[in-house]
Amino acid sequence: METLRRSWLVPLAVLAGVAWITGVLLVATQADSDPVGSHYDAYNRVLTLALALLLASGLAIRGRVRAAGALGRRALTGLVAGLALMLAGNALEFWGSLAAGQEPSATAERLGLEEEFWGSFVGFLVFLLGGLLVLASLIAYAIKIGAWGGTRLQRTAVGAGGFLMVAST
């Protein structure tokens, strides 16, 4: 059973990381101008898949830590909550606007429209709150890693990973 868990968790986490990097880079190609590029919304919808994969990875890691009785369960619960908020905010802003047939705020501005989707700003705030919770949780987890003998490099990688993830958005 342990081999099975290990065999799917690592590829899932790697896939989630690659999807996140790809999604952020795609969004960056459209967000580097004012107003945003024409594929900004579509690429943010791609980012939703990356967030779902990150959330699945976070849930799996939290489950393994809980099953092992290791330290850091609260920090990982915060990480999962933060990822869930990021996913919800992204989905509200970009998928909600698609379902409502309205444009998110950045695209409405680009097109010169007076009206924008009501959930754009709310979705952004939820996403932002989730990102801050992810950052705080990964820093807290990095501290816990040190308590159970993790190396300085491991602690730095986890904390820096949280900072880079949030800074990249």
Side-chain angles (χ1 to χ4, degrees):
M1 185 68 135
E2 186 64 28
T3 304
L4 178 62
R5 281 192 208 151
R6 248 187 239 147
S7 68
W8 65 267
L9 181 55
V10 171
L12 175 63
V14 169
L15 179 63
V18 169
W20 174 258
I21 292 167
T22 302
V24 166
L25 289 174
L26 285 171
V27 170
T29 66
Q30 300 299 300
D32 67 344
S33 61
D34 191 25
V36 297
S38 60
H39 298 295
Y40 181 75
D41 300 338
Y43 291 163
N44 268 292
R45 289 183 191 110
V46 170
L47 199 59
T48 308
L49 173 64
L51 286 164
L53 289 170
L54 285 168
L55 179 57
S57 296
L59 284 166
I61 292 168
R62 186 176 131 256
R64 294 227 14 232
V65 167
R66 186 177 48 178
L71 295 173
R73 290 185 301 269
R74 282 191 206 137
L76 289 174
T77 299
L79 172 67
V80 167
L83 289 169
L85 286 171
M86 289 178 76
L87 176 62
N90 179 275
L92 174 61
E93 182 171 4
F94 296 102
W95 288 98
S97 65
L98 183 66
Q102 294 180 306
E103 300 296 340
S105 59
T107 301
E109 181 183 331
R110 176 177 57 82
L111 297 174
L113 300 175
E114 293 284 323
E115 265 189 59
E116 62 185 49
F117 176 58
W118 67 266
S120 288
F121 185 66
V122 174
F124 173 73
L125 288 180
V126 170
F127 181 88
L128 182 62
L129 178 63
L132 294 174
L133 184 54
V134 165
L135 174 61
S137 298
L138 285 174
I139 290 171
Y141 191 64
I143 292 167
K144 289 295 182 185
I145 288 172
W148 43 267
T151 67
R152 176 173 278 159
L153 179 61
Q154 289 170 326
R155 292 190 318 265
T156 302
V158 170
F163 177 75
L164 289 173
M165 181 180 171
V166 173
S168 69
T169 59

